[in-house]
Amino acid sequence: GRRKRARARHKPCELRELEVSVSELGLGYESDETVLFRYCSGTCEAAVRSYDLSLKSMRSRRKIRKEKIRARPCCRPLAYDDDVSFLDTYNRYYTVNELSAKECGCV
Amino acid sequence: YPLPCTGMDPATTSKSNHCLDAAKACNLNDNCKRLRSGYISTCSRELSATEPCSRRKCHKALRQFFDRVPGEFTFRLLFCSCRDPACAERRRQTIVPSCSYEDKEKPNCLDLRGACRADHLCRSRLADFHTNCQATFQSMTNCPGDNFQACLGSYAGLIGFDITPNYVDASTTSITISPWCSCKGSGNMEEECEKFLRDFTENPCLRNAIQAFGNGTDVNLAPKI
């Protein structure tokens, strides 16, 4: 039930974009300039590898217990976009790197 | 008369202006965004306490921006119309003037012209500017052939050279453009120097071209008049 619902609601891992103001990024800059924020979103069910299955098996057999492990791929940027620059409300320029995703994948 | 979009709404005037809209348009275009952040990061990178930036690299990055990004983006950033000082200051800041424009001392304008003429590209860009922005009193627009675009293009073509022009202040009522120079110490060339400087500071063709672009009245101007 739960998995089926999730699959119906979520698209596979892909790049999406939002137009946001620099202030909304939450990085501490005050600027009304608008930037394109690209991010990775979606499910990675199709990308489960033998690695993930085996890792799960090791955990259930209690061969791995205390370590923090992740037995599922997750949707993350594989590459980041070019730098973005803007003028803040105090007329100072700033340049931010690795702000936006350029390519996504299940890793 | 026709005023483009936003500025009219009093609720949005504090946060929205044409120069901010121009920055948005650039940021949403990958090519414009990349080359804009290219010159901004170069021009605002501090080298040392004594050297605030590399002017040479900053000028090069500015030339690349104005050469490789279409006028629909670059003109909007350079010539946006303003009703408040914050907007006008943003417009003045477009070329990162602390690095690309201002200097400790103001050289003599004829010396600056001489330095420009020693560089073949600067020399030809300056000649274009004098041709296309030459004030004429035979037309309503004060521009040769009523061609505002040619004048604005030639103006933008000077950015990133020794003769880089800019807005001298953040005034919203009067637009004054000048290269970073004065006519002090011109000796017997004073008149020649003033004449050269006035082509920037008191040029009705250039001023009309900038104002018409900002008001959105530069399109199909000829039939209207």
Side-chain angles (χ1 to χ4, degrees):
Chain A
R2 192 165 156 263
R3 280 190 81 168
K4 228 179 201 170
R5 245 197 350 259
R7 199 177 297 155
R9 239 183 314 136
H10 298 292
K11 288 180 184 171
C13 179
E14 62 176 12
L15 198 62
R16 305 210 190 153
E17 56 186 46
L18 279 176
E19 286 178 20
V20 295
S21 80
V22 169
S23 299
E24 288 173 315
L25 294 171
L27 296 173
Y29 301 108
E30 282 179 54
S31 171
D32 292 327
E33 261 192 54
T34 305
V35 293
L36 198 60
F37 180 70
R38 293 195 175 102
Y39 63 101
C40 297
S41 169
T43 63
C44 283
E45 280 164 44
V48 171
R49 296 152 169 101
S50 304
Y51 167 83
D52 301 299
L53 299 173
S54 302
L55 196 60
K56 257 183 209 159
S57 172
M58 294 308 120
R59 188 169 52 193
S60 64
R61 285 161 204 271
R62 301 199 167 256
K63 296 215 174 197
I64 298 173
R65 287 197 292 185
K66 285 182 181 169
E67 297 150 72
K68 195 165 167 74
I69 56 158
R70 186 173 175 91
R72 274 187 304 186
C74 69
C75 182
R76 288 281 302 167
L78 297 178
Y80 291 88
D81 217 345
D82 301 316
D83 294 354
V84 60
S85 299
F86 55 87
L87 187 69
D88 78 356
T89 47
Y90 307 102
N91 295 306
R92 289 172 307 205
Y93 276 113
Y94 290 98
T95 301
V96 177
N97 54 32
E98 298 191 330
L99 170 69
S100 220
K102 190 181 184 180
E103 198 190 332
C104 302
C106 294
V107 296
Chain B
Y1 64 102
L3 272 164
C5 50
T6 55
M8 297 297 286
D9 182 2
T12 59
T13 43
S14 62
K15 278 205 161 187
S16 170
N17 61 58
H18 290 133
C19 296
L20 207 46
D21 294 344
K24 175 179 175 177
C26 181
N27 284 344
L28 298 185
N29 175 278
D30 281 332
N31 184 47
C32 190
K33 186 196 82 173
R34 188 172 55 83
L35 288 163
R36 177 174 181 244
S37 107
Y39 81 73
I40 289 174
S41 59
T42 306
C43 299
S44 55
R45 188 179 300 135
E46 201 171 311
L47 294 178
S48 65
T50 51
E51 217 179 345
C53 69
S54 163
R55 190 176 196 131
R56 189 180 57 82
K57 286 182 181 169
C58 169
H59 276 180
K60 189 182 174 192
L62 276 166
R63 293 198 300 271
Q64 283 179 344
F65 178 73
F66 288 103
D67 285 346
R68 296 181 192 172
V69 178
E72 62 173 297
F73 296 109
T74 58
F75 286 17
R76 272 183 85 180
L77 282 165
L78 271 182
F79 310 122
C80 40
S81 66
C82 287
R83 292 162 162 226
D84 62 282
C87 171
E89 180 57 21
R90 169 173 278 277
R91 178 174 63 191
R92 195 186 74 83
Q93 290 286 347
T94 302
I95 63 167
V96 198
S98 61
C99 182
S100 70
Y101 180 66
E102 291 153 20
D103 216 335
K104 284 174 214 117
E105 281 161 35
K106 271 194 179 176
N108 181 274
C109 294
L110 294 182
D111 291 347
L112 202 64
R113 184 178 70 176
C116 175
R117 284 179 173 174
D119 170 40
H120 73 98
L121 198 50
C122 188
R123 184 195 184 97
S124 83
R125 294 288 176 92
L126 187 58
D128 284 348
F129 174 78
H130 282 306
T131 306
N132 295 320
C133 296
Q134 190 64 257
T136 157
F137 297 94
Q138 278 147 23
S139 69
M140 291 279 289
T141 63
N142 295 128
C143 281
D146 292 328
N147 192 344
F148 282 156
Q149 292 282 324
C151 176
L152 297 180
S154 310
Y155 173 91
L158 292 177
I159 295 169
F161 291 97
D162 287 327
I163 206 84
T164 299
N166 198 24
Y167 298 88
V168 299
D169 55 34
S171 166
T172 50
T173 47
S174 67
I175 289 173
T176 310
I177 299 285
S178 177
W180 187 260
C181 66
S182 81
C183 283
K184 269 186 207 153
S186 298
N188 59 355
M189 302 284 276
E190 180 94 34
E191 217 171 297
E192 165 95 3
C193 184
E194 293 291 350
K195 185 177 168 293
F196 172 77
L197 186 55
R198 274 200 304 271
D199 280 344
F200 293 91
T201 56
E202 291 169 40
N203 184 332
C205 164
L206 179 60
R207 189 172 300 157
N208 288 342
I210 292 173
Q211 273 165 355
F213 185 89
N215 293 336
T217 50
D218 63 328
V219 251
N220 302 322
L221 188 86
K224 262 193 228 162
I225 283 179

